[in-house]
Amino acid sequence: MKKLLIILLIVFGLCGCQDPGKKAANPDDRYLYIIEMIGEHESFVTTSNYFDIAVDMAKIDGGYRYYITIDNPRIAMYDIELLAIEKDVDYRNKMAANVGIFEEKEYNMVPNQTNTAQGYVKGIVASGVSDLSETTLYIFVQFKNADYSTTHSEYFKLDVKYEAE
C-alpha cells in the first residue's frame, strides 16, 4: 500500500510540473513551421467571427510599414499567436511580422477585460516592412480556450495599400 501511495505521489508531482501555457517547440522551428503552413494553406478569409482584424500602411524612410491589428474579442482568447507574411517574399533571412511566438510572455484577450501586467490586452498589433506601397498579406492567427484544451487557427488574406493623406 505504501508503494502505491508513493508511486501516485510521484506521478502527481510530475504532472504538476508542466506549464499548460508553455510553448513546446523551439521558437525558431515554430516560426518556420507557421510560414510553411501559410504557404501550403489553400483557403483564406478576410474577417473573423471571434475578433476584428485590420491592416494599415504608413510610409517610412526606404519603404512602407504595415500594421496588423486584432482587437474587440468576442470570446476569451488565450496564448495568442500571430504571424504575417507578404506575398512573394522569402522569410528565411527576413523577419516576418509576428506576436506570441518568440516572447516568453503570453497574450490573452477577453471581452471587456484588460490587465496588461497579467497578459490580458485590449488588442494586439504586429508590424512589418514592405518595399511596396500595395501588397497582399497572408496572416495566421491562433489562440486557445481558457483551459488550453482547444486550439483555434484562422488564415487571412488581406490586401493593404498606402494611401497618402
Side-chain angles (χ1 to χ4, degrees), residues 2-58:
K2 277 186 174 181
K3 288 181 183 179
L4 180 61
L5 183 59
I6 291 172
I7 291 172
L8 285 175
L9 288 174
I10 291 172
V11 169
F12 286 125
L14 291 175
C15 292
C17 293
Q18 293 180 329
D19 179 4
K22 186 174 178 172
K23 309 261 190 274
N26 173 324
D28 293 328
D29 293 341
R30 176 85 177 133
Y31 170 84
L32 294 172
Y33 176 70
I34 293 171
I35 290 173
E36 184 180 322
M37 284 191 327
I38 294 171
E40 292 174 357
H41 205 72
E42 295 179 5
S43 63
F44 296 87
V45 296
T46 57
T47 62
S48 174
N49 292 327
Y50 304 108
F51 53 86
D52 292 343
I53 185 167
V55 294
D56 295 303
M57 184 175 270

CSV table of all heavy atoms in Angstrom, one decimal, residues 2-58:
chain,number,residue,atom,x,y,z
A,2,LYS,N,2.0,1.2,0.8
A,2,LYS,CA,2.9,2.3,0.8
A,2,LYS,C,3.5,2.6,-0.6
A,2,LYS,O,3.6,3.8,-1.0
A,2,LYS,CB,4.0,2.1,1.8
A,2,LYS,CG,3.7,2.4,3.2
A,2,LYS,CD,4.9,2.3,4.1
A,2,LYS,CE,4.6,2.7,5.5
A,2,LYS,NZ,5.9,2.6,6.3
A,3,LYS,N,3.9,1.5,-1.2
A,3,LYS,CA,4.5,1.7,-2.6
A,3,LYS,C,3.5,2.3,-3.5
A,3,LYS,O,3.9,3.2,-4.3
A,3,LYS,CB,4.9,0.3,-3.1
A,3,LYS,CG,6.1,-0.3,-2.4
A,3,LYS,CD,6.5,-1.6,-3.0
A,3,LYS,CE,7.7,-2.2,-2.3
A,3,LYS,NZ,8.1,-3.5,-2.8
A,4,LEU,N,2.2,1.9,-3.5
A,4,LEU,CA,1.2,2.5,-4.4
A,4,LEU,C,1.0,4.0,-4.1
A,4,LEU,O,1.0,4.8,-5.0
A,4,LEU,CB,-0.1,1.8,-4.2
A,4,LEU,CG,-1.3,2.3,-5.1
A,4,LEU,CD1,-0.9,2.1,-6.5
A,4,LEU,CD2,-2.5,1.5,-4.8
A,5,LEU,N,1.0,4.3,-2.8
A,5,LEU,CA,0.9,5.7,-2.4
A,5,LEU,C,2.1,6.6,-2.9
A,5,LEU,O,1.9,7.7,-3.4
A,5,LEU,CB,0.7,5.9,-0.9
A,5,LEU,CG,0.5,7.3,-0.3
A,5,LEU,CD1,-0.8,7.9,-0.9
A,5,LEU,CD2,0.4,7.2,1.2
A,6,ILE,N,3.3,6.0,-2.8
A,6,ILE,CA,4.5,6.7,-3.2
A,6,ILE,C,4.5,6.9,-4.7
A,6,ILE,O,4.8,8.0,-5.2
A,6,ILE,CB,5.7,6.0,-2.7
A,6,ILE,CG1,5.9,6.1,-1.2
A,6,ILE,CG2,7.0,6.6,-3.4
A,6,ILE,CD1,7.0,5.2,-0.6
A,7,ILE,N,4.1,5.9,-5.4
A,7,ILE,CA,4.0,6.0,-6.9
A,7,ILE,C,3.0,7.0,-7.3
A,7,ILE,O,3.3,7.8,-8.2
A,7,ILE,CB,3.7,4.6,-7.5
A,7,ILE,CG1,4.9,3.7,-7.3
A,7,ILE,CG2,3.3,4.7,-9.0
A,7,ILE,CD1,4.6,2.2,-7.7
A,8,LEU,N,1.8,7.0,-6.7
A,8,LEU,CA,0.8,8.1,-7.0
A,8,LEU,C,1.3,9.5,-6.7
A,8,LEU,O,1.1,10.4,-7.5
A,8,LEU,CB,-0.5,7.8,-6.2
A,8,LEU,CG,-1.3,6.6,-6.7
A,8,LEU,CD1,-2.5,6.4,-5.8
A,8,LEU,CD2,-1.8,6.9,-8.1
A,9,LEU,N,2.0,9.7,-5.6
A,9,LEU,CA,2.5,11.0,-5.3
A,9,LEU,C,3.6,11.4,-6.3
A,9,LEU,O,3.6,12.6,-6.7
A,9,LEU,CB,3.1,11.0,-3.9
A,9,LEU,CG,2.1,11.0,-2.7
A,9,LEU,CD1,2.9,10.8,-1.4
A,9,LEU,CD2,1.3,12.2,-2.7
A,10,ILE,N,4.4,10.5,-6.8
A,10,ILE,CA,5.4,10.8,-7.8
A,10,ILE,C,4.7,11.2,-9.1
A,10,ILE,O,5.1,12.2,-9.7
A,10,ILE,CB,6.4,9.7,-8.0
A,10,ILE,CG1,7.3,9.5,-6.7
A,10,ILE,CG2,7.3,9.9,-9.2
A,10,ILE,CD1,8.2,8.3,-6.7
A,11,VAL,N,3.7,10.4,-9.5
A,11,VAL,CA,3.0,10.7,-10.8
A,11,VAL,C,2.3,12.1,-10.7
A,11,VAL,O,2.4,12.9,-11.6
A,11,VAL,CB,2.0,9.6,-11.1
A,11,VAL,CG1,1.1,10.0,-12.2
A,11,VAL,CG2,2.7,8.3,-11.4
A,12,PHE,N,1.7,12.4,-9.6
A,12,PHE,CA,1.0,13.7,-9.4
A,12,PHE,C,2.0,14.8,-9.4
A,12,PHE,O,1.8,15.9,-9.9
A,12,PHE,CB,0.1,13.7,-8.2
A,12,PHE,CG,-1.2,12.9,-8.3
A,12,PHE,CD1,-1.5,12.0,-7.4
A,12,PHE,CD2,-2.0,13.2,-9.4
A,12,PHE,CE1,-2.7,11.2,-7.5
A,12,PHE,CE2,-3.2,12.5,-9.5
A,12,PHE,CZ,-3.5,11.5,-8.6
A,13,GLY,N,3.1,14.6,-8.8
A,13,GLY,CA,4.2,15.6,-8.7
A,13,GLY,C,4.8,15.9,-10.1
A,13,GLY,O,5.0,17.1,-10.4
A,14,LEU,N,5.0,14.9,-10.9
A,14,LEU,CA,5.5,15.1,-12.2
A,14,LEU,C,4.5,15.8,-13.1
A,14,LEU,O,4.8,16.7,-13.9
A,14,LEU,CB,5.9,13.8,-12.9
A,14,LEU,CG,7.1,13.1,-12.3
A,14,LEU,CD1,7.4,11.7,-12.9
A,14,LEU,CD2,8.4,14.0,-12.4
A,15,CYS,N,3.2,15.5,-13.0
A,15,CYS,CA,2.2,16.1,-13.8
A,15,CYS,C,2.0,17.6,-13.4
A,15,CYS,O,1.8,18.4,-14.2
A,15,CYS,CB,0.8,15.4,-13.6
A,15,CYS,SG,0.8,13.8,-14.3
A,16,GLY,N,2.2,17.9,-12.1
A,16,GLY,CA,2.1,19.3,-11.7
A,16,GLY,C,3.3,20.2,-12.2
A,16,GLY,O,3.2,21.4,-12.1
A,17,CYS,N,4.3,19.6,-12.7
A,17,CYS,CA,5.5,20.4,-13.1
A,17,CYS,C,5.3,21.0,-14.5
A,17,CYS,O,6.1,21.8,-14.9
A,17,CYS,CB,6.8,19.5,-13.1
A,17,CYS,SG,7.3,19.0,-11.5
A,18,GLN,N,4.3,20.5,-15.3
A,18,GLN,CA,4.1,21.0,-16.6
A,18,GLN,C,3.3,22.3,-16.6
A,18,GLN,O,2.3,22.4,-15.9
A,18,GLN,CB,3.4,20.0,-17.5
A,18,GLN,CG,4.2,18.8,-17.7
A,18,GLN,CD,3.5,17.8,-18.6
A,18,GLN,OE1,2.3,17.7,-18.5
A,18,GLN,NE2,4.3,17.0,-19.3
A,19,ASP,N,3.7,23.3,-17.4
A,19,ASP,CA,3.0,24.5,-17.5
A,19,ASP,C,2.1,24.4,-18.8
A,19,ASP,O,2.7,24.3,-19.9
A,19,ASP,CB,4.0,25.7,-17.7
A,19,ASP,CG,3.4,27.0,-17.8
A,19,ASP,OD1,2.1,27.1,-17.8
A,19,ASP,OD2,4.1,28.0,-18.1
A,20,PRO,N,0.8,24.5,-18.6
A,20,PRO,CA,0.0,24.3,-19.8
A,20,PRO,C,0.1,25.4,-20.9
A,20,PRO,O,-0.1,25.2,-22.0
A,20,PRO,CB,-1.5,24.4,-19.2
A,20,PRO,CG,-1.3,25.1,-17.9
A,20,PRO,CD,0.0,24.8,-17.4
A,21,GLY,N,0.6,26.6,-20.5
A,21,GLY,CA,0.8,27.6,-21.5
A,21,GLY,C,2.2,27.6,-22.1
A,21,GLY,O,2.4,28.4,-23.0
A,22,LYS,N,3.1,26.8,-21.6
A,22,LYS,CA,4.4,26.8,-22.1
A,22,LYS,C,4.5,26.3,-23.6
A,22,LYS,O,3.9,25.4,-23.9
A,22,LYS,CB,5.3,26.0,-21.3
A,22,LYS,CG,6.8,26.0,-21.6
A,22,LYS,CD,7.6,25.3,-20.6
A,22,LYS,CE,9.1,25.4,-21.1
A,22,LYS,NZ,10.0,24.9,-20.2
A,23,LYS,N,5.3,27.0,-24.4
A,23,LYS,CA,5.5,26.6,-25.8
A,23,LYS,C,6.3,25.4,-25.8
A,23,LYS,O,7.4,25.3,-25.3
A,23,LYS,CB,6.1,27.8,-26.5
A,23,LYS,CG,5.5,29.1,-26.4
A,23,LYS,CD,4.6,29.4,-27.5
A,23,LYS,CE,4.1,30.8,-27.5
A,23,LYS,NZ,3.0,31.1,-26.8
A,24,ALA,N,5.9,24.4,-26.5
A,24,ALA,CA,6.6,23.1,-26.5
A,24,ALA,C,7.7,23.1,-27.6
A,24,ALA,O,8.8,22.6,-27.3
A,24,ALA,CB,5.6,22.0,-26.9
A,25,ALA,N,7.5,23.8,-28.6
A,25,ALA,CA,8.5,23.8,-29.7
A,25,ALA,C,9.5,24.9,-29.6
A,25,ALA,O,9.3,26.0,-29.0
A,25,ALA,CB,7.8,23.9,-31.1
A,26,ASN,N,10.7,24.7,-30.2
A,26,ASN,CA,11.7,25.8,-30.3
A,26,ASN,C,11.0,26.9,-31.1
A,26,ASN,O,10.5,26.7,-32.1
A,26,ASN,CB,12.9,25.2,-31.0
A,26,ASN,CG,13.9,26.2,-31.4
A,26,ASN,OD1,13.7,27.3,-31.7
A,26,ASN,ND2,15.2,25.7,-31.3
A,27,PRO,N,11.1,28.2,-30.6
A,27,PRO,CA,10.5,29.3,-31.3
A,27,PRO,C,11.0,29.4,-32.8
A,27,PRO,O,10.1,29.8,-33.6
A,27,PRO,CB,10.9,30.5,-30.5
A,27,PRO,CG,11.2,30.0,-29.2
A,27,PRO,CD,11.8,28.6,-29.4
A,28,ASP,N,12.2,29.2,-33.1
A,28,ASP,CA,12.7,29.3,-34.5
A,28,ASP,C,12.0,28.2,-35.3
A,28,ASP,O,11.6,28.5,-36.5
A,28,ASP,CB,14.2,29.1,-34.6
A,28,ASP,CG,15.0,30.3,-33.9
A,28,ASP,OD1,14.4,31.4,-33.9
A,28,ASP,OD2,16.0,30.0,-33.3
A,29,ASP,N,11.9,27.0,-34.8
A,29,ASP,CA,11.2,26.0,-35.6
A,29,ASP,C,9.7,26.3,-35.7
A,29,ASP,O,9.2,26.0,-36.8
A,29,ASP,CB,11.4,24.6,-34.9
A,29,ASP,CG,12.8,24.1,-34.9
A,29,ASP,OD1,13.6,24.6,-35.7
A,29,ASP,OD2,13.2,23.3,-34.0
A,30,ARG,N,9.1,26.8,-34.7
A,30,ARG,CA,7.7,27.1,-34.7
A,30,ARG,C,7.5,28.2,-35.8
A,30,ARG,O,6.5,28.2,-36.6
A,30,ARG,CB,7.2,27.6,-33.3
A,30,ARG,CG,5.8,28.1,-33.3
A,30,ARG,CD,4.9,27.0,-33.1
A,30,ARG,NE,3.5,27.5,-32.9
A,30,ARG,CZ,2.5,27.0,-33.6
A,30,ARG,NH1,2.6,26.0,-34.4
A,30,ARG,NH2,1.3,27.6,-33.5
A,31,TYR,N,8.3,29.2,-35.8
A,31,TYR,CA,8.2,30.3,-36.8
A,31,TYR,C,8.3,29.8,-38.2
A,31,TYR,O,7.4,30.1,-39.0
A,31,TYR,CB,9.4,31.3,-36.5
A,31,TYR,CG,9.6,32.4,-37.5
A,31,TYR,CD1,8.9,33.6,-37.5
A,31,TYR,CD2,10.6,32.2,-38.5
A,31,TYR,CE1,9.2,34.6,-38.4
A,31,TYR,CE2,10.9,33.2,-39.4
A,31,TYR,CZ,10.1,34.4,-39.4
A,31,TYR,OH,10.4,35.4,-40.3
A,32,LEU,N,9.3,29.0,-38.5
A,32,LEU,CA,9.4,28.4,-39.9
A,32,LEU,C,8.3,27.5,-40.2
A,32,LEU,O,7.8,27.4,-41.3
A,32,LEU,CB,10.8,27.7,-40.0
A,32,LEU,CG,12.0,28.6,-39.9
A,32,LEU,CD1,13.3,27.8,-39.9
A,32,LEU,CD2,12.0,29.6,-41.1
A,33,TYR,N,7.8,26.7,-39.2
A,33,TYR,CA,6.6,25.8,-39.4
A,33,TYR,C,5.4,26.6,-39.8
A,33,TYR,O,4.6,26.2,-40.7
A,33,TYR,CB,6.4,25.0,-38.2
A,33,TYR,CG,5.2,24.1,-38.3
A,33,TYR,CD1,5.2,23.0,-39.1
A,33,TYR,CD2,4.1,24.3,-37.5
A,33,TYR,CE1,4.1,22.2,-39.2
A,33,TYR,CE2,3.0,23.5,-37.6
A,33,TYR,CZ,3.0,22.4,-38.4
A,33,TYR,OH,1.9,21.6,-38.5
A,34,ILE,N,5.1,27.7,-39.1
A,34,ILE,CA,3.9,28.6,-39.4
A,34,ILE,C,4.0,29.1,-40.8
A,34,ILE,O,3.1,29.1,-41.6
A,34,ILE,CB,3.7,29.7,-38.3
A,34,ILE,CG1,3.4,29.0,-37.0
A,34,ILE,CG2,2.6,30.6,-38.8
A,34,ILE,CD1,3.4,30.0,-35.8
A,35,ILE,N,5.2,29.6,-41.2
A,35,ILE,CA,5.4,30.1,-42.5
A,35,ILE,C,5.1,29.1,-43.6
A,35,ILE,O,4.4,29.3,-44.6
A,35,ILE,CB,6.8,30.7,-42.7
A,35,ILE,CG1,7.0,32.0,-41.9
A,35,ILE,CG2,7.1,31.0,-44.2
A,35,ILE,CD1,8.3,32.6,-41.8
A,36,GLU,N,5.6,27.9,-43.3
A,36,GLU,CA,5.3,26.7,-44.2
A,36,GLU,C,3.8,26.4,-44.3
A,36,GLU,O,3.2,26.2,-45.3
A,36,GLU,CB,6.1,25.5,-43.7
A,36,GLU,CG,5.9,24.3,-44.6
A,36,GLU,CD,6.7,23.1,-44.1
A,36,GLU,OE1,7.8,23.3,-43.6
A,36,GLU,OE2,6.2,22.0,-44.2
A,37,MET,N,3.1,26.4,-43.1
A,37,MET,CA,1.7,26.2,-43.1
A,37,MET,C,0.9,27.2,-43.9
A,37,MET,O,0.0,26.9,-44.6
A,37,MET,CB,1.2,26.2,-41.6
A,37,MET,CG,1.5,25.0,-40.8
A,37,MET,SD,0.7,24.8,-39.2
A,37,MET,CE,0.5,26.4,-38.6
A,38,ILE,N,1.3,28.5,-43.8
A,38,ILE,CA,0.6,29.5,-44.5
A,38,ILE,C,0.8,29.3,-46.0
A,38,ILE,O,-0.1,29.4,-46.8
A,38,ILE,CB,1.1,30.9,-44.1
A,38,ILE,CG1,0.8,31.3,-42.7
A,38,ILE,CG2,0.6,32.0,-45.1
A,38,ILE,CD1,1.4,32.5,-42.1
A,39,GLY,N,2.0,28.9,-46.4
A,39,GLY,CA,2.3,28.7,-47.8
A,39,GLY,C,1.5,27.5,-48.4
A,39,GLY,O,1.2,27.5,-49.6
A,40,GLU,N,1.2,26.5,-47.6
A,40,GLU,CA,0.5,25.3,-48.0
A,40,GLU,C,-1.0,25.5,-47.9
A,40,GLU,O,-1.7,24.7,-48.5
A,40,GLU,CB,1.0,24.1,-47.2
A,40,GLU,CG,2.4,23.7,-47.5
A,40,GLU,CD,2.9,22.6,-46.6
A,40,GLU,OE1,2.2,22.2,-45.7
A,40,GLU,OE2,4.1,22.2,-46.8
A,41,HIS,N,-1.4,26.5,-47.2
A,41,HIS,CA,-2.9,26.6,-46.9
A,41,HIS,C,-3.6,27.1,-48.2
A,41,HIS,O,-3.0,27.9,-49.0
A,41,HIS,CB,-3.1,27.6,-45.8
A,41,HIS,CG,-4.4,27.4,-45.1
A,41,HIS,ND1,-4.7,26.3,-44.3
A,41,HIS,CD2,-5.6,28.1,-45.2
A,41,HIS,CE1,-5.9,26.4,-43.8
A,41,HIS,NE2,-6.5,27.5,-44.4
A,42,GLU,N,-4.8,26.6,-48.4
A,42,GLU,CA,-5.5,26.9,-49.7
A,42,GLU,C,-6.6,27.9,-49.6
A,42,GLU,O,-7.0,28.6,-50.5
A,42,GLU,CB,-5.9,25.6,-50.4
A,42,GLU,CG,-4.8,24.7,-50.8
A,42,GLU,CD,-5.2,23.4,-51.4
A,42,GLU,OE1,-6.4,23.2,-51.6
A,42,GLU,OE2,-4.3,22.6,-51.7
A,43,SER,N,-7.3,27.9,-48.4
A,43,SER,CA,-8.5,28.8,-48.3
A,43,SER,C,-8.2,29.8,-47.2
A,43,SER,O,-7.7,29.5,-46.1
A,43,SER,CB,-9.7,28.0,-48.0
A,43,SER,OG,-9.6,27.3,-46.7
A,44,PHE,N,-8.5,31.1,-47.5
A,44,PHE,CA,-8.2,32.2,-46.6
A,44,PHE,C,-9.5,33.0,-46.5
A,44,PHE,O,-10.4,33.0,-47.3
A,44,PHE,CB,-7.1,33.1,-47.2
A,44,PHE,CG,-5.8,32.4,-47.3
A,44,PHE,CD1,-5.4,31.7,-48.4
A,44,PHE,CD2,-4.9,32.5,-46.3
A,44,PHE,CE1,-4.2,31.1,-48.5
A,44,PHE,CE2,-3.7,31.9,-46.3
A,44,PHE,CZ,-3.3,31.2,-47.5
A,45,VAL,N,-9.6,33.7,-45.3
A,45,VAL,CA,-10.8,34.5,-45.0
A,45,VAL,C,-10.3,36.0,-44.9
A,45,VAL,O,-9.1,36.2,-44.8
A,45,VAL,CB,-11.5,34.0,-43.8
A,45,VAL,CG1,-12.1,32.6,-44.0
A,45,VAL,CG2,-10.6,34.1,-42.6
A,46,THR,N,-11.3,36.9,-44.9
A,46,THR,CA,-10.9,38.3,-44.7
A,46,THR,C,-11.5,38.8,-43.4
A,46,THR,O,-11.1,39.9,-42.9
A,46,THR,CB,-11.5,39.2,-45.8
A,46,THR,OG1,-12.9,39.0,-45.9
A,46,THR,CG2,-10.8,38.8,-47.1
A,47,THR,N,-12.4,38.1,-42.7
A,47,THR,CA,-12.9,38.5,-41.4
A,47,THR,C,-13.0,37.3,-40.5
A,47,THR,O,-12.9,36.2,-40.9
A,47,THR,CB,-14.3,39.1,-41.5
A,47,THR,OG1,-15.2,38.1,-42.1
A,47,THR,CG2,-14.3,40.3,-42.5
A,48,SER,N,-13.2,37.6,-39.2
A,48,SER,CA,-13.3,36.5,-38.2
A,48,SER,C,-14.5,36.7,-37.4
A,48,SER,O,-15.0,37.8,-37.2
A,48,SER,CB,-12.1,36.6,-37.2
A,48,SER,OG,-12.2,35.7,-36.2
A,49,ASN,N,-15.1,35.6,-36.9
A,49,ASN,CA,-16.2,35.6,-36.0
A,49,ASN,C,-15.8,35.9,-34.6
A,49,ASN,O,-16.7,36.1,-33.7
A,49,ASN,CB,-17.0,34.3,-36.1
A,49,ASN,CG,-17.7,34.1,-37.4
A,49,ASN,OD1,-18.1,35.1,-38.1
A,49,ASN,ND2,-17.8,32.9,-37.8
A,50,TYR,N,-14.5,35.8,-34.3
A,50,TYR,CA,-14.0,35.8,-32.9
A,50,TYR,C,-13.4,37.2,-32.5
A,50,TYR,O,-13.2,37.5,-31.4
A,50,TYR,CB,-13.0,34.7,-32.7
A,50,TYR,CG,-13.6,33.4,-33.1
A,50,TYR,CD1,-13.2,32.7,-34.2
A,50,TYR,CD2,-14.5,32.8,-32.2
A,50,TYR,CE1,-13.7,31.5,-34.5
A,50,TYR,CE2,-15.1,31.6,-32.6
A,50,TYR,CZ,-14.7,30.9,-33.7
A,50,TYR,OH,-15.2,29.7,-34.0
A,51,PHE,N,-12.9,38.0,-33.5
A,51,PHE,CA,-12.3,39.2,-33.2
A,51,PHE,C,-12.3,40.1,-34.5
A,51,PHE,O,-12.6,39.6,-35.6
A,51,PHE,CB,-10.8,39.0,-32.8
A,51,PHE,CG,-10.0,38.2,-33.7
A,51,PHE,CD1,-9.4,38.7,-34.8
A,51,PHE,CD2,-9.9,36.8,-33.5
A,51,PHE,CE1,-8.6,37.9,-35.7
A,51,PHE,CE2,-9.2,36.0,-34.4
A,51,PHE,CZ,-8.6,36.5,-35.5
A,52,ASP,N,-11.9,41.4,-34.3
A,52,ASP,CA,-11.8,42.3,-35.5
A,52,ASP,C,-10.3,42.2,-35.9
A,52,ASP,O,-9.4,42.1,-35.1
A,52,ASP,CB,-12.2,43.7,-35.1
A,52,ASP,CG,-13.6,43.9,-34.9
A,52,ASP,OD1,-14.5,43.0,-35.2
A,52,ASP,OD2,-14.0,44.9,-34.2
A,53,ILE,N,-10.1,42.3,-37.2
A,53,ILE,CA,-8.8,42.3,-37.8
A,53,ILE,C,-8.7,43.4,-38.8
A,53,ILE,O,-9.7,43.6,-39.6
A,53,ILE,CB,-8.3,41.0,-38.4
A,53,ILE,CG1,-6.9,41.0,-38.8
A,53,ILE,CG2,-9.2,40.5,-39.5
A,53,ILE,CD1,-6.2,39.7,-39.1
A,54,ALA,N,-7.6,44.2,-38.8
A,54,ALA,CA,-7.5,45.3,-39.8
A,54,ALA,C,-6.0,45.5,-40.1
A,54,ALA,O,-5.2,45.1,-39.3
A,54,ALA,CB,-8.0,46.6,-39.2
A,55,VAL,N,-5.7,46.0,-41.3
A,55,VAL,CA,-4.4,46.3,-41.7
A,55,VAL,C,-4.3,47.8,-42.2
A,55,VAL,O,-5.3,48.3,-42.8
A,55,VAL,CB,-3.8,45.4,-42.8
A,55,VAL,CG1,-3.7,44.0,-42.2
A,55,VAL,CG2,-4.7,45.4,-44.0
A,56,ASP,N,-3.2,48.4,-41.8
A,56,ASP,CA,-3.0,49.8,-42.3
A,56,ASP,C,-1.6,49.9,-42.7
A,56,ASP,O,-0.7,49.1,-42.4
A,56,ASP,CB,-3.2,50.8,-41.1
A,56,ASP,CG,-4.7,50.8,-40.7
A,56,ASP,OD1,-5.5,51.1,-41.5
A,56,ASP,OD2,-4.9,50.6,-39.5
A,57,MET,N,-1.3,50.9,-43.5
A,57,MET,CA,0.1,51.1,-44.0
A,57,MET,C,0.5,52.6,-43.9
A,57,MET,O,-0.3,53.4,-44.2
A,57,MET,CB,0.2,50.6,-45.5
A,57,MET,CG,1.6,50.6,-46.1
A,57,MET,SD,1.7,49.9,-47.7
A,57,MET,CE,2.0,48.2,-47.4
A,58,ALA,N,1.8,52.8,-43.6
A,58,ALA,CA,2.3,54.1,-43.5
A,58,ALA,C,3.7,54.2,-44.2
A,58,ALA,O,4.4,53.2,-44.3
A,58,ALA,CB,2.6,54.5,-42.0
